[in-house]
Amino acid sequence: MMPNANPNPKITSEAHLLDSVHRGEWKQRDAWRALRILSEFVDGFETLSDLEPAVSVFGSARTKPGSEEYVLGEQLGAALAKANFGVITGGGPGIMEAANRGARSAGGVSIGLGIELPFEQKLNDYIDIGLDFRYFFARKTMFVKYSQAFCVLPGGFGTLDELFEALTLVQTKKVTRFPVVLMGVSYWQGLIDWLRDRMLEGGKIAEQDLDLMLLTDDVDEAVSHIVSACAYLKECGDETP
């Protein structure tokens, strides 16, 4: 996500949909919005249905080119492409741009799933297949449906949202168990410690829930973990319900 520098941001389609104030308009307008939502799912399914195995990479849009985290994202994108994975991101700048850039430089397929925001944010210049969404929930479906794994680099609220939604879907068996990799040990270690010391100790999660994530700084380890997990699931015939 990028900071909102616009004092008069536009109202997005999703904001209209979730508006809790103008109740009198719901009956007249929401039925038509349902058709627009359906069209986003149809466009996503048609565009991505023939996509090769892919990995979604998440991280901050605020990460600057040339920074250590940007370089890590670029290296990860290239390594995933060399392992024959397409790379899916949110299509914006920062970590998303880095992963798309790395994938393209290595000859892989680079995918960007953009989102309408109150401030301007266009798809980055390193995308081969691009889609723009009005609604987060339609976009999230595409991330999960067409990914074999998630790689999560340092980011903010949006990154945490994607991370915990993925973990919830896996934990509740709404999707096939697939690997979730946290890259950036110094960034994520405090979160892992809190999950263990507070949530696990308090009985809010189980010990095996912490095993749903691999924490590493090593790109080769991350890709090897994903390759091994995907091979295991394929061998076991494990399929999404």
Side-chain angles (χ1 to χ4, degrees), residues 30-164:
D30 282 358
W32 291 107
R33 289 194 181 109
L35 295 178
R36 178 180 287 178
I37 292 166
L38 177 60
S39 73
E40 291 209 342
F41 282 102
V42 171
D43 287 345
F45 294 154
E46 287 187 343
T47 302
L48 301 175
S49 60
D50 294 325
L51 187 67
E52 64 185 64
V55 174
S56 286
V57 178
F58 301 101
S60 177
R62 306 184 190 206
T63 301
K64 301 300 182 184
S67 66
E68 185 176 341
E69 291 173 358
Y70 188 99
V71 171
L72 180 63
E74 201 170 350
Q75 292 173 342
L76 176 63
L80 288 169
K82 291 175 182 176
N84 298 316
F85 289 104
V87 172
I88 306 174
T89 77
I95 292 295
M96 295 173 281
E97 176 185 287
N100 287 134
R101 185 175 186 172
R104 176 179 279 186
S105 71
V109 178
S110 177
I111 304 101
L113 307 181
I115 185 70
E116 180 189 47
L117 295 172
F119 41 89
E120 294 299 325
Q121 179 174 297
K122 64 182 182 67
L123 294 176
N124 66 64
D125 295 329
Y126 302 97
I127 289 171
D128 301 312
I129 301 172
L131 285 169
D132 281 305
F133 290 86
R134 292 184 175 92
Y135 303 102
F136 271 110
F137 50 83
R139 180 178 182 243
K140 287 178 177 179
T141 298
M142 303 305 151
F143 278 128
V144 174
K145 183 174 178 64
Y146 295 104
S147 295
Q148 274 63 53
F150 280 7
C151 285
V152 187
L153 279 70
F157 287 162
T159 302
L160 289 173
D161 177 53
E162 299 291 358
L163 168 62
F164 282 106

